[in-house]
Amino acid sequence: MLNILTEPLISFNQTGGGRANASLPEVYAALMTDRVDSFPSLRPHQRHAWHAFLVQLAAMARRRAELAEPPEDAEEWLRLIRGLTPDHPEDEPWQLVVDDITKPAFMQPPARSEDKLAEYKSRVATPDELDMLVTSKNHDLKAAVAAQAGVDDWLFALITLQTMAGFDGAGNFGIARMNGGLGNRPRFALAPFAQSLGRHVRRDLTALLEYRPEILAEYPMTDNGATLLWNMPWDGTAAEALLPNRLAPFFIEICRRIRLGSNADGSLYGIRATSKTARIEAKALNGQMGDPWTPVDLKGNKSLTLAAGGFTYKRVTDYLTSADWKRPVLMKADQSEKSSSETMQLVARAMVRGQGKTEGYYERSIPIKEKFRTAMQRGAGIQELGNLAKARIGEISNVQRILSHAIQVFAAGGDSANVKPEHRRLASPWLNRLDEIIDARFFDDLQTEFEADAPEERQQIRNRWLLNDQDEDGVVDYARIILSKAIDSLPCPKIHRYKARVNAEGLFEGRIRSAAGLPGLFDTTNKEVE
């Protein structure tokens, strides 16, 4: 029932306008011909789960059929996908509802006997209740509100839960492709610059097959291992835990025992059972499972777990340039991209989970020009990029320290000897504001400097980035503006306000020009204090 290979169960908005309902093979055909604009039922935090599923499934199907290029015909995609489940001529692994619990259903593992149905005690009424989002007393995101859910709402929720979820209480274990139960499975990889879902899928599909030997060589997997884990019986026992060396490189995992059913009115519901241990025994690997989208922390010997705050410019700089991080294979250019001058983009996504709560969904896109992309493929290029970025980060930190000191002095009534911890706390939000302004254009500005060839030109670009009186959009310019706004906003006794302002502004201008500030900047540009 509800066969995603043959029934039009997935809704998408078409690039030329209008909405279509399609089967999974028809979705692939539409993606390959750039006819998909968006999936209206797909929630933001589900984007990577759906994209990764489409790419991994297509890569396994295409490799099995030994096709040089992905097909553009829905019938051919139907044949390819069915080729992954030849033991199920009735398409059970592709049906959302299969009443016989001893047979697989889509993203739903079979039990070994019918009496195991009694273990499925927890009922799920809506797809958002099934989803991976962790809600705390409904404060983060209201739970179980999708009472009028469509079939594709359940489809996306199933894929997201089974391929992205972490630990969620006793008997509810997380996926192997994350570091620990409170980790996350981020996406950090190149993508075409054009906002095209089809081009994005085609690019990752091509690159994934190109770099498959590298994944096999570096991670404990096997060439002809298990691919679709929901096809394998699972009753949640410790003896059934799969070792990584039984898995294929692009395997699509599941982490929960769940089955969908149909009510009398045709609406869907879910039932869940717990398990004694995780489906894959990979705790010692700390998430290092060859995920082509996830960076690996070499120093900590673990996959990236993005923290609250998201993909800040400092973190992204580390992931891109630090020797402590191994970039995922899909951060590399594929064969055609190595000789292309086309601008691409870094697309980063992650849902951050905390202890019993959701700490935010983060998504960031950064245009990556040819020289930047080429440099990332070479050790010397990465080092040069890293040095430029770290120098800029150091200068930002210097300006922030000076700005913080000036704000603290104002808050202390203009008396630097009277600065207290509460004054430091008052300065913190203003420093964050400066960081946000810089963050928005950090990598555009960095690439402008990196693309310049002559050292003198680079220095001029750096100076304008730091101080630009004409447009007042340099780091120091923004710091001055923020200091002025902080002075206008922060409490200070009226009798001390004039003195506090003069002392704070004088301190900022004096320190920024001092030997510990940015003296060379002012020497070069001949700036005068007004």
Side-chain angles (χ1 to χ4, degrees):
M1 185 186 299
L2 302 178
N3 187 336
I4 65 173
L5 294 189
T6 59
E7 299 179 51
L9 303 175
I10 305 169
S11 176
F12 67 88
N13 294 323
Q14 301 179 89
T15 53
R19 182 171 293 186
N21 296 309
S23 64
L24 182 60
E26 289 168 340
V27 166
Y28 273 116
L31 285 167
M32 295 303 110
T33 52
D34 274 331
R35 290 183 284 117
V36 179
D37 179 69
S38 63
F39 295 94
S41 297
L42 191 68
R43 303 166 82 182
H45 73 278
Q46 297 173 334
R47 289 173 185 156
H48 178 45
W50 177 232
H51 174 82
F53 170 84
L54 289 171
V55 172
Q56 289 170 261
L57 181 65
M60 289 186 289
R62 183 176 151 194
R63 180 181 179 275
R64 184 182 182 278
E66 299 182 343
L67 289 183
E69 297 292 335
E72 297 182 354
D73 178 71
E75 287 299 318
E76 182 65 5
W77 276 109
L78 175 62
R79 184 186 71 81
L80 292 181
I81 297 170
R82 275 181 170 158
L84 295 172
T85 54
D87 296 335
H88 298 281
E90 300 300 318
D91 285 343
E92 291 94 343
W94 307 106
Q95 297 181 41
L96 285 172
V97 177
V98 175
D99 292 331
D100 186 345
I101 199 172
T102 64
K103 294 181 179 179
F106 180 69
M107 302 299 287
Q108 305 159 59
R112 297 184 185 278
S113 62
E114 293 183 357
D115 60 2
K116 291 295 180 181
L117 182 61
E119 296 181 7
Y120 289 74
K121 299 176 182 179
S122 176
R123 189 178 176 93
V124 181
T126 63
D128 54 325
E129 186 182 358
L130 174 68
D131 205 339
M132 63 170 280
L133 286 174
V134 180
T135 56
S136 178
K137 298 182 180 179
N138 279 350
H139 292 164
D140 301 281
L141 197 71
K142 294 293 183 182
V145 296
Q148 303 300 318
V151 172
D152 52 356
D153 288 295
W154 286 96
L155 173 79
F156 297 142
L158 261 177
I159 292 172
T160 304
L161 174 75
Q162 296 286 42
T163 64
M164 304 287 284
F167 181 75
D168 192 23
N172 295 298
F173 295 89
I175 62 171
R177 287 187 173 106
M178 68 167 56
N179 175 36
L182 298 180
N184 42 63
R185 184 191 177 193
R187 177 213 154 81
F188 191 85
L190 286 176
F193 186 71
Q195 298 295 319
S196 163
L197 297 182
R199 286 191 66 191
H200 194 176
V201 170
R202 290 198 307 275
R203 185 269 167 185
D204 279 5
L205 169 58
T206 300
L208 199 56
L209 289 170
E210 182 177 324
Y211 287 111
R212 187 178 189 274
E214 182 176 317
I215 297 174
L216 264 175
E218 294 188 16
Y219 296 94
M221 298 175 190
T222 186
D223 195 28
N224 295 308
T227 54
L228 311 178
L229 299 197
W230 68 89
N231 277 341
M232 305 172 70
W234 183 34
D235 291 333
T237 65
E240 294 172 297
L242 298 171
L243 295 176
N245 60 10
R246 290 189 59 190
L247 307 175
F250 308 153
F251 73 95
I252 300 176
E253 67 182 301
I254 56 168
C255 62
R256 305 287 172 82
R257 298 168 68 202
I258 188 162
R259 301 290 292 199
L260 297 189
S262 179
N263 295 306
D265 62 357
S267 62
L268 299 179
Y269 67 89
I271 50 175
R272 295 183 288 200
T274 58
S275 55
K276 299 294 184 183
T277 189
R279 184 65 179 108
I280 300 172
E281 179 49 65
K283 186 176 181 180
L285 295 178
N286 300 321
Q288 297 179 82
M289 295 288 292
D291 189 2
W293 292 277
T294 303
V296 170
D297 178 358
L298 297 175
K299 194 173 181 180
N301 196 33
K302 58 188 177 183
S303 66
L304 168 64
T305 293
L306 186 70
F311 295 98
T312 65
Y313 67 93
K314 294 177 184 176
R315 289 176 180 170
V316 171
T317 295
D318 264 355
Y319 305 154
L320 284 176
T321 67
S322 173
D324 292 336
W325 287 95
K326 176 179 174 58
R327 292 176 300 284
V329 294
L330 292 182
M331 193 63 222
K332 300 180 180 181
D334 67 25
Q335 200 61 41
S336 65
E337 292 162 354
K338 289 176 182 177
S339 57
S340 171
S341 60
E342 181 181 2
T343 295
M344 298 188 70
Q345 62 178 329
L346 163 62
V347 177
R349 296 170 176 159
M351 170 64 74
V352 177
R353 304 172 67 252
Q355 184 71 47
K357 62 181 179 179
T358 295
E359 295 190 348
Y361 172 72
Y362 298 94
E363 183 168 330
R364 181 169 192 170
S365 297
I366 300 170
I368 302 292
K369 297 178 183 178
E370 179 188 6
K371 187 172 180 180
F372 197 138
R373 186 178 73 243
T374 302
M376 286 192 297
Q377 315 306 318
R378 301 180 289 107
I382 293 170
Q383 185 174 3
E384 183 184 5
L385 267 172
N387 290 341
L388 285 179
K390 289 171 186 175
R392 283 176 170 244
I393 290 170
E395 288 165 334
I396 293 166
S397 297
N398 199 4
V399 174
Q400 286 180 314
R401 283 193 296 270
I402 295 170
L403 175 62
S404 177
H405 190 188
I407 293 173
Q408 291 174 47
V409 166
F410 174 81
D415 186 356
S416 58
N418 197 37
V419 170
K420 295 181 173 60
E422 57 262 32
H423 300 140
R424 297 187 182 93
R425 288 193 292 272
L426 286 172
S428 183
W430 300 97
L431 304 185
N432 292 341
R433 187 174 299 186
L434 178 61
D435 225 34
E436 289 170 2
I437 293 170
I438 294 167
D439 195 323
R441 44 177 275 192
F442 180 84
F443 290 99
D444 288 339
D445 292 336
L446 175 64
Q447 290 184 80
T448 299
E449 180 178 349
F450 184 64
E451 288 181 333
D453 295 321
E456 297 82 5
E457 185 182 359
R458 284 191 173 186
Q459 189 61 57
Q460 290 173 359
I461 291 169
R462 176 77 64 85
N463 289 347
R464 285 196 300 272
W465 171 71
L466 286 167
L467 185 65
N468 186 357
D469 278 348
Q470 182 176 350
D471 299 318
E472 293 190 338
D473 62 355
V475 176
V476 175
D477 301 309
Y478 284 128
R480 283 172 173 158
I481 293 168
I482 287 172
L483 175 59
S484 179
K485 289 182 178 180
I487 288 172
D488 290 341
S489 303
L490 290 173
C492 180
K494 189 174 182 180
I495 193 172
H496 298 306
R497 182 168 286 275
Y498 178 76
K499 171 192 170 184
R501 174 184 286 274
V502 170
N503 287 357
E505 291 176 345
L507 183 148
F508 179 87
E509 297 298 340
R511 284 197 60 187
I512 206 73
R513 288 166 166 75
S514 72
L518 298 168
L521 173 67
F522 293 91
D523 291 343
T524 301
T525 54
N526 296 315
K527 300 293 178 183
E528 297 291 338
V529 182
E530 297 182 357

